[in-house]
Amino acid sequence: MACTFEFEMNNRKITIETGKVARQANGAVMLRSGKTVLLATAVMDDKPIEEHFLPLTVQYIEKSYAAGKIPGGYVKRETKPGDFETLTSRLIDRSLRPLFPKGFYYPVQITVMLLSVDEEADLQALALDAASAALFLSDIPVDKAVAGVRIGRKEGQFILNPTLDELEEGTLDLFVSGTKEELLMIEMRAIGTVEVEIEPSVAVDPMIDPMLADEIIQIPHVNELKEEELVEAIEMAQKAIALAAGEYEKTLAEGARPKREVELKEEKADASLVAYVEEFYGEDIDRALAGLAKSERGNEIRAIVEQILNDDIAKEQAWSEEAVKAAVGEVKRRKVRSMILDEGRRADGRGLKEVRPISIETNLLPSVHGSCLFTRGETQALVTCTLGSRQDAQMFERITGKSTSYEEFMVHYNFPGFSVGEASRIGPPGRRELGHGNLAKRALEPALDKTQLDAIVRLVSEILESNGSSSMATVCGGSLALKAANVPVLTLIAGVAMGLVTEGDRHAVLTDIMGLEDHDGDMDFKVAGSSEGITALQMDIKLGGISPDLLKEALEQAKEARLHILKIMEESAKAIEVNESILPSTEVFHIDPHKIVDIIGQAGKTIKEIIEKFEVSVDLDRKEGQVKVTGPNKVQVKAACDHIRKIAEGGGAKREMPKFEIDKPIKGRVKKLVDFGAFVELPGGVDGLLHISKISRGRIAHPGDLLHEGEEIEVVVKSQQGHKISLELAKPLD
């Protein structure tokens, strides 16, 4: 039965239709908001998988026709997903996965397709709403609705669900998702930098520079968010989510299909088997925990499972491998959590607030513009920084954009199998790699001083060893790699991963978690920022709701760790030796805008010669007269700049124009044929005109009847007035 539901809340109007399209799916909706239309479907297989995990797949797909476009490139159809589609799919997955009941192992596919788009639409929030509605209305056993809201900030005021213009003009992008009872996921980034105004009495001594005495000095400053401000914004989002999710559940309930009866696999381990493992293999598990403190791989745990399966009691009781794995996992989990809550220590011997030992080495790669090897415990990232010119920017198209956009700061994260001791092939980046790289980019970008930065910047993080928080190692190493490449940054940025363990009324916040604590803990959140505040945050809450007081405690503990890491990084930054000899150089200067044409030359000849001769790239602004020269060698860049200035001062090539003897035969090369004659390149690189009437004694229709471009001919100069040179053939061609 077709149903239509209308909602108006949190500054957004939404219409949801179900039972009209895609009726063979378990659940399907058509969501409309303004001109935006999304189709979301949810499909479940009839049989569960054998393994103990939820095989949930989420795909968010943008159709070019939604914006009245035909896909660019050679293939005129949608191919692999773009980064925005992948990151949106990941965001939906992280928000919906906690809704499924424990022991549910049926393959589920959620697909969200963008069919029509409004330029001002928040596609991530709408896509999550559509996916949640399709799941809630389906017969898949999920009985909660999820809502997502975005919080912006402009002129110190938080904005609920801002428009895209309000978001980009503001200083904050905070996305929060959850149910009416609890938060599930948080993502936050600071946007850009602010120009702090300083009175001239503070910034400038008028006696030294009287020209600046009446001016306001603007100094770039990072747009960090204070911990208490972030808590305030999250509380605002939580209220809006509770309202929206509650309204969705109340209104959509009348259109929901009856939930299917499914088999939920028992996750609890057998009590007698757990007692047996604890009694006879407890010490082995203690030793295994020490091993897990050094590696994310569970080789020691797998060895214990094999040992139990081969002992006489296991054979007598006919325990299955699955049951033994569950029992060993439960004992391991209890030991990890008990150690933390009862003894205040962790598997690797650290205290709850202790950061693992850190070592830093910068510019260890001699041919790389900037590099940093950042090691924290058993997590190690080699981050490199490469500087390029404007043509090195990454081109991309947004479905809501009117033209091609350019990404000038890139962070690419790679996670090869050997980093965790696995023998796996290295392939293209997956969702995890894209997500971690995006998080590091969001953390680092606000610290770039873009008023001084003229280069395109690419950071690449190669994870060489991993045991928790490799994305935060990427942030720390990336910040120092920028410094090592002499990129202008306003401050250093550090990141740390935090965890949480709760039992009843007791809880413990963990600093710098490792893989073991991430797996057996109740929350994983990553915080990055400067000494002044937070630039990026990512949080996944496993236990459900989190109180504001607990959130404040976790953020304050993260700040304490961040300041500790920043202190070590600052000491390392002081010792950086920049590879000046290999750094690309950029010089920007201005000339008379009318002289730009002389720099370009006839048909671009002059600028091409400059680029080839000095091995540089040249960007020209005809309106402002700005010249930007970039090259891999400072000496070459300076020589190119001097050459350009000389041309501008001399009115183009006028100063170096060779003088030709009238009526003396000289050799030239036919450069270009036109209807009225031929341009001939003469010695010295200047051009003369051989009129069509001087090519033949008789009349010809076109110079190409007798001449060919590139052909060498003998001519005489009949007259020369500056750049204007008139030629005749030394000998007629017929």
Side-chain angles (χ1 to χ4, degrees):
M1 184 180 71
C3 300
T4 301
F5 307 96
E6 293 185 355
F7 304 88
E8 185 173 350
M9 65 189 78
N10 298 335
N11 303 335
R12 198 152 53 203
K13 291 182 180 180
I14 293 175
T15 300
I16 293 175
E17 299 173 84
T18 186
K20 180 179 179 180
V21 297
R23 288 171 294 184
Q24 295 191 43
N26 293 75
V29 302
M30 189 88 85
L31 182 147
R32 299 175 184 271
S33 179
K35 295 179 182 178
T36 299
V37 180
L38 290 152
L39 171 66
T41 62
V43 179
M44 182 184 81
D45 279 359
D46 292 331
K47 294 181 179 179
I49 61 171
E50 292 298 323
E51 295 83 355
H52 277 216
F53 74 93
L54 169 61
L56 171 65
T57 305
V58 177
Q59 284 185 288
Y60 166 74
I61 303 167
E62 293 181 342
K63 299 295 185 178
S64 295
Y65 56 71
K69 298 178 180 179
I70 294 175
Y74 184 75
V75 178
K76 297 301 177 183
R77 68 179 300 162
E78 290 80 7
T79 53
K80 68 176 185 177
D83 286 2
F84 180 78
E85 291 168 283
T86 300
L87 293 170
T88 302
S89 300
R90 194 167 183 261
L91 180 147
I92 297 170
D93 186 308
R94 290 163 53 209
S95 299
L96 298 184
R97 189 174 288 271
L99 302 182
F100 289 85
K102 288 186 177 181
F104 180 91
Y105 300 134
Y106 292 78
V108 174
Q109 171 82 40
I110 294 174
T111 304
V112 183
M113 289 171 31
L114 179 66
L115 306 179
S116 176
V117 67
D118 190 323
E119 290 179 3
E120 285 298 315
D122 185 338
L123 295 176
Q124 290 187 325
L126 291 174
L128 176 58
D129 287 346
S132 173
L135 188 60
F136 183 81
L137 289 166
S138 74
D139 61 356
I140 300 171
V142 169
D143 56 5
K144 290 186 178 182
V146 165
V149 299
R150 197 178 298 274
I151 305 291
R153 192 185 197 194
K154 190 174 180 182
E155 297 176 355
Q157 299 297 313
F158 293 121
I159 305 170
L160 181 64
N161 288 333
T163 64
L164 295 187
D165 286 341
E166 287 175 329
L167 190 67
E168 290 306 315
E169 290 169 4
T171 59
L172 172 67
D173 180 4
L174 171 68
F175 189 89
V176 186
S177 68
T179 65
K180 64 182 180 182
E181 297 93 2
E182 54 198 32
L183 295 180
L184 299 173
M185 189 213 66
I186 302 171
E187 282 204 353
M188 168 258 168
R189 68 181 175 108
I191 299 178
T193 57
V194 290
E195 300 293 325
V196 180
E197 294 187 345
I198 299 179
E199 294 293 338
S201 58
V202 176
V204 179
D205 184 348
M207 298 298 292
I208 297 174
D209 194 345
M211 295 295 291
L212 297 176
D214 297 325
E215 294 186 8
I216 297 294
I217 308 303
Q218 291 189 323
I219 298 177
H221 183 73
V222 180
N223 254 340
E224 309 102 332
L225 195 67
K226 302 290 185 186
E227 279 75 8
E228 57 272 18
E229 294 172 329
L230 178 58
V231 172
E232 181 185 347
I234 291 172
E235 288 177 340
M236 178 181 179
Q238 190 167 17
K239 290 176 183 176
I241 288 169
L243 173 67
E247 187 65 25
Y248 284 148
E249 289 183 13
K250 177 183 174 183
T251 308
L252 293 176
E254 63 182 81
R257 298 171 63 180
K259 299 302 179 184
R260 183 190 295 190
E261 291 291 330
V262 295
E263 175 194 353
L264 298 180
K265 292 190 178 179
E266 183 65 39
E267 286 201 324
K268 289 184 179 179
D270 179 82
S272 60
L273 179 51
V274 169
Y276 175 80
V277 171
E278 203 159 19
E279 177 68 27
F280 294 100
Y281 291 91
E283 291 184 3
D284 294 328
I285 291 176
D286 286 336
R287 285 191 290 273
L289 290 179
L292 281 168
K294 296 180 180 179
S295 171
E296 289 186 0
R297 293 186 77 195
N299 288 343
E300 293 88 348
I301 295 295
R302 283 193 286 271
I304 292 171
V305 171
E306 289 295 324
Q307 190 178 350
I308 295 172
L309 287 170
N310 289 322
D311 73 16
D312 294 336
I313 299 295
K315 292 176 181 177
E316 182 182 313
Q317 297 293 323
W319 288 329
S320 68
E321 182 178 353
E322 189 176 293
V324 172
K325 278 183 180 178
V328 171
E330 178 61 23
V331 173
K332 172 179 75 74
R333 180 179 177 277
R334 288 180 185 179
K335 284 180 173 290
V336 169
R337 298 171 73 88
S338 173
M339 197 183 302
I340 290 168
L341 291 170
D342 298 335
E343 304 173 35
R345 67 181 182 89
R346 298 149 81 173
D348 59 358
R350 280 185 294 153
L352 304 186
K353 295 185 178 182
E354 192 175 344
V355 178
R356 288 172 289 180
I358 292 173
S359 67
I360 298 169
E361 187 178 351
T362 55
N363 278 347
L364 63 159
L365 304 177
S367 297
V368 176
H369 294 157
S371 58
C372 175
L373 182 64
F374 183 90
T375 307
R376 177 167 56 206
E378 290 73 45
T379 296
Q380 186 177 70
L382 174 62
V383 189
T384 61
C385 178
T386 307
L387 309 180
S389 56
R390 192 63 50 195
Q391 60 263 34
D392 294 313
Q394 173 67 61
M395 291 190 297
F396 66 94
E397 289 188 8
R398 283 274 170 84
I399 193 75
T400 52
K402 294 180 180 178
S403 60
T404 301
S405 299
Y406 294 87
E407 187 178 10
E408 299 180 350
F409 176 57
M410 297 163 273
V411 181
H412 297 152
Y413 167 102
N414 298 314
F415 191 89
F418 65 73
S419 66
V420 288
E422 292 180 354
S424 58
R425 65 178 290 275
I426 296 176
R431 290 187 178 185
R432 183 178 188 273
E433 285 81 2
L434 290 172
H436 282 8
N438 182 60
L439 174 59
K441 177 186 175 178
R442 289 189 285 121
L444 294 169
E445 191 164 23
L448 296 176
D449 185 356
K450 293 188 177 179
T451 63
Q452 303 295 322
L453 179 61
D454 291 312
I456 302 301
V457 180
R458 181 188 185 225
L459 289 177
V460 178
S461 175
E462 310 286 2
I463 303 304
L464 306 184
E465 191 177 345
S466 179
N467 187 15
S469 192
S470 56
S471 63
M472 295 296 95
T474 296
V475 171
C476 299
S479 186
L480 287 166
L482 291 170
K483 276 273 192 183
N486 210 26
V487 173
V489 293
L490 300 170
T491 184
L492 287 173
I493 301 293
V496 63
M498 308 294 292
L500 178 68
V501 174
T502 60
E503 292 289 348
D505 295 332
R506 296 189 301 163
H507 74 271
V509 177
L510 307 179
T511 293
D512 181 26
I513 59 172
M514 49 190 170
L516 172 67
E517 294 161 342
D518 185 8
H519 183 271
D520 290 324
D522 298 319
M523 183 170 65
D524 166 32
F525 70 106
K526 304 174 178 72
V527 190
S530 69
S531 57
E532 298 298 319
I534 300 168
T535 56
L537 177 142
Q538 186 179 92
M539 181 181 295
D540 292 297
I541 305 164
K542 305 173 188 176
L543 54 80
I546 180 171
S547 70
D549 289 340
L550 186 52
L551 182 59
K552 286 177 188 175
E553 179 185 342
L555 288 173
E556 285 300 324
Q557 191 166 316
K559 180 181 179 180
E560 183 181 325
R562 192 170 74 246
L563 294 176
H564 166 76
I565 297 166
L566 281 168
K567 187 175 180 181
I568 297 171
M569 290 171 61
E570 284 161 3
E571 288 300 313
S572 178
K574 292 175 185 176
I576 288 175
E577 294 182 7
V578 177
N579 292 335
E580 292 280 2
S581 61
I582 64 165
L583 283 182
S585 177
T586 298
E587 281 201 29
V588 180
F589 59 95
H590 288 79
I591 62 174
D592 183 343
H594 296 97
K595 300 293 185 181
I596 293 290
V597 67
D598 295 325
I599 308 302
I600 296 172
Q602 188 176 356
K605 178 176 180 295
T606 305
I607 194 168
K608 288 176 184 175
E609 288 177 348
I610 293 170
I611 291 170
E612 291 173 4
K613 179 179 179 181
F614 297 101
E615 297 179 347
V616 296
S617 63
V618 182
D619 292 325
L620 302 171
D621 187 330
R622 289 173 180 262
K623 186 177 179 181
E624 301 294 332
Q626 179 178 287
V627 180
K628 184 165 82 170
V629 182
T630 304
N633 184 291
K634 271 190 174 182
V635 176
Q636 293 285 77
V637 169
K638 186 177 184 307
C641 292
D642 292 342
H643 185 72
I644 292 171
R645 289 190 181 98
K646 190 179 292 185
I647 293 174
E649 291 166 3
K654 205 177 286 182
R655 180 180 293 183
E656 300 177 9
M657 175 62 67
K659 295 293 183 182
F660 296 99
E661 191 175 333
I662 303 298
D663 290 332
K664 181 180 178 181
I666 54 174
K667 287 187 177 181
R669 182 178 60 84
V670 178
K671 186 174 181 180
K672 191 174 184 181
L673 296 173
V674 292
D675 290 341
F676 54 84
F679 287 103
V680 180
E681 185 177 356
L682 304 175
V686 297
D687 296 342
L689 175 63
L690 178 64
H691 193 268
I692 191 170
S693 63
K694 306 296 183 182
I695 295 175
S696 170
R697 290 193 182 103
R699 188 168 181 175
I700 57 174
H702 190 274
D705 294 343
L706 295 175
L707 295 175
H708 303 285
E709 289 185 3
E711 177 184 358
E712 193 174 83
I713 59 175
E714 195 170 44
V715 296
V716 295
V717 175
K718 298 304 292 183
S719 67
Q720 179 178 0
Q721 295 178 347
H723 290 279
K724 191 175 180 181
I725 302 173
S726 181
L727 305 174
E728 287 186 10
L729 287 169
K731 295 177 183 178
L733 295 177
D734 57 358

